[in-house]
Amino acid sequence: ATTLGASAAERGRYFGAAVAANKLSDNTYVTILNREFNSVTPENEMKIDATEPQQGVFTFANADRIVNHARGRGMQVRGHTLAWHSQQPGWMQNMSGTALRAAMLNHVTQVATHYRGQIHSWDVVNEAFADGSSGARRDSNLQRTGNDWIEAAFRAARAADPGAKLCYNDYNTDDWTHAKTQAVYNLVRDFKTRGVPIDCVGLQSHFNPNSPYPGNYRTTLSSFAALGVDVQITELDIEGSGTTQANTYRNVVNDCLAVARCTGITVWGIRDTDSWRASGTPLLFDGNGNKKPAYDATLAAL
Ligand code: XIL
């Protein structure tokens, strides 16, 4: 096939992009989105600060615009994200203890209920583990409500939208030897053993000189998959340019295709100028919307 989405579909997979609601009026952007991708992730519009800016007051207009754009064109939607230490509204940042636990669970329930039946996969919990060699949970107001906050969030999400795949999503979990990767692996194994609902692991996969694409990435994907969960590459971007960048994109695609339960890839933006990385050129299209060597390598590998 001649597009990323159609080629991925021939491989039984999706190829998605992070989308910003305020760019849906940009013709170049929308033309590429509609042509190339068959899955979208709202880049910020489903986060807690966006969907519950005041406690108990839910605002879905921007996220709904993305969901409606996508579903109206047959694209899947990844929901991102229900519970996270970052991009919390001020009222939640100031909460703790049982009140925060209840507010978090209510948020999960309300948002997942609003989108019930419309979300392919939810990033139920994002970035709950610490960086470095500890393998510990990240300290956060949510973590301080008790170590069981993650499973509580997953149970609430399952109850609210039984048809959505429920993912744990994180970064720097690409290198199989990394303590954080092993910590997430142990969480998923524990959930599967105890029957806590979890269907997928999202590897953000933001690759740059500080966290480069690891040679054992395929081992990481297959190891998670062997626990009985799908694996999704959820926020892919690769700093660099030219042939070097193209080769890394090719390697990532080949690794995913080599693992039956690696079910899809999402790039974190469309053009380089859409990237959250202020400087750098980590995506598949240049600022003018032209296909880069990384695009050609990705399409050829699919
Ligand atoms: C980023 C967005 O791309 C930015 O627009 C925003 O300012 C900050 O968040 N990990 C995640 C994403 O899970 O939600 C982050 O997205 C990038 C890192």
Side-chain angles (χ1 to χ4, degrees):
T2 58
T3 67
L4 301 171
S7 296
E10 289 177 356
R11 303 297 208 115
R13 291 165 171 86
Y14 67 80
F15 204 99
V19 166
N22 64 10
K23 291 176 183 165
L24 290 176
S25 53
D26 177 328
N27 279 323
T28 305
Y29 182 88
V30 172
T31 297
I32 299 170
L33 170 64
N34 292 352
R35 186 185 70 220
E36 297 288 344
F37 298 97
N38 57 8
S39 174
V40 306
T41 306
E43 185 173 1
N44 289 296
E45 292 80 354
M46 286 185 177
K47 292 173 181 176
I48 312 173
D49 58 354
T51 50
E52 196 177 356
Q54 301 170 61
Q55 189 172 12
V57 179
F58 290 85
T59 53
F60 295 115
N62 286 331
D64 285 353
R65 287 175 61 204
I66 297 175
V67 170
N68 292 336
H69 182 100
R71 288 175 50 78
R73 290 163 180 79
M75 304 173 186
Q76 297 178 0
V77 180
R78 295 196 80 263
H80 175 80
T81 177
L82 295 170
W84 191 21
H85 69 277
S86 184
Q87 290 181 266
Q88 291 183 357
W91 64 265
M92 184 178 277
Q93 293 177 36
N94 291 328
M95 287 184 94
S96 62
T98 53
L100 174 60
R101 175 68 72 97
M104 179 274 285
L105 292 175
N106 182 58
H107 181 84
V108 171
T109 298
Q110 296 298 326
V111 177
T113 298
H114 178 80
Y115 290 108
R116 177 167 51 213
Q118 302 185 65
I119 303 297
H120 177 275
S121 300
W122 263 115
D123 291 331
V124 177
V125 170
N126 197 32
E127 301 182 349
F129 282 87
D131 293 309
S133 58
S134 70
R137 296 284 182 87
R138 172 195 298 275
D139 180 49
S140 72
N141 60 346
L142 292 170
Q143 179 62 30
R144 290 191 291 271
T145 71
N147 207 49
D148 62 343
W149 73 276
I150 300 178
E151 61 193 84
F154 274 81
R155 292 188 198 280
R158 181 69 98 219
D161 186 359
K165 289 182 181 285
L166 305 183
C167 304
Y168 176 83
N169 192 55
D170 215 327
Y171 67 93
N172 281 349
T173 48
D174 314 293
D175 187 326
W176 178 239
T177 66
H178 198 296
K180 192 172 171 183
T181 310
Q182 294 297 314
V184 174
Y185 179 84
N186 288 333
L187 174 91
V188 176
R189 186 173 55 186
D190 173 56
F191 278 17
K192 295 298 285 184
T193 300
R194 292 191 294 114
V196 178
I198 185 168
D199 306 300
C200 37
V201 172
L203 303 186
Q204 292 185 11
S205 305
H206 297 291
F207 295 128
N208 56 66
N210 291 323
S211 55
Y213 164 80
N216 57 24
Y217 190 60
R218 191 179 299 192
T219 297
T220 303
L221 297 174
S222 62
S223 298
F224 277 112
L227 292 175
V229 291
D230 290 345
V231 184
Q232 304 180 16
I233 298 169
T234 53
E235 304 183 14
L236 180 64
D237 50 23
I238 303 172
E239 295 257 322
S241 62
T243 305
T244 306
Q245 180 182 52
N247 286 340
T248 308
Y249 269 100
R250 176 187 296 110
N251 286 335
V252 169
V253 171
N254 284 336
D255 289 342
C256 184
L257 293 177
V259 176
R261 292 198 76 161
C262 181
T263 59
I265 298 173
T266 299
V267 287
W268 204 242
I270 294 179
R271 300 161 300 194
D272 286 332
T273 44
D274 300 316
S275 173
W276 71 306
R277 301 298 202 193
S279 61
T281 54
L283 294 171
L284 300 177
F285 296 86
D286 71 18
N288 294 319
N290 296 311
K291 297 170 180 174
K292 295 167 57 183
Y295 172 94
D296 297 328
T298 298
L299 182 64
L302 282 168

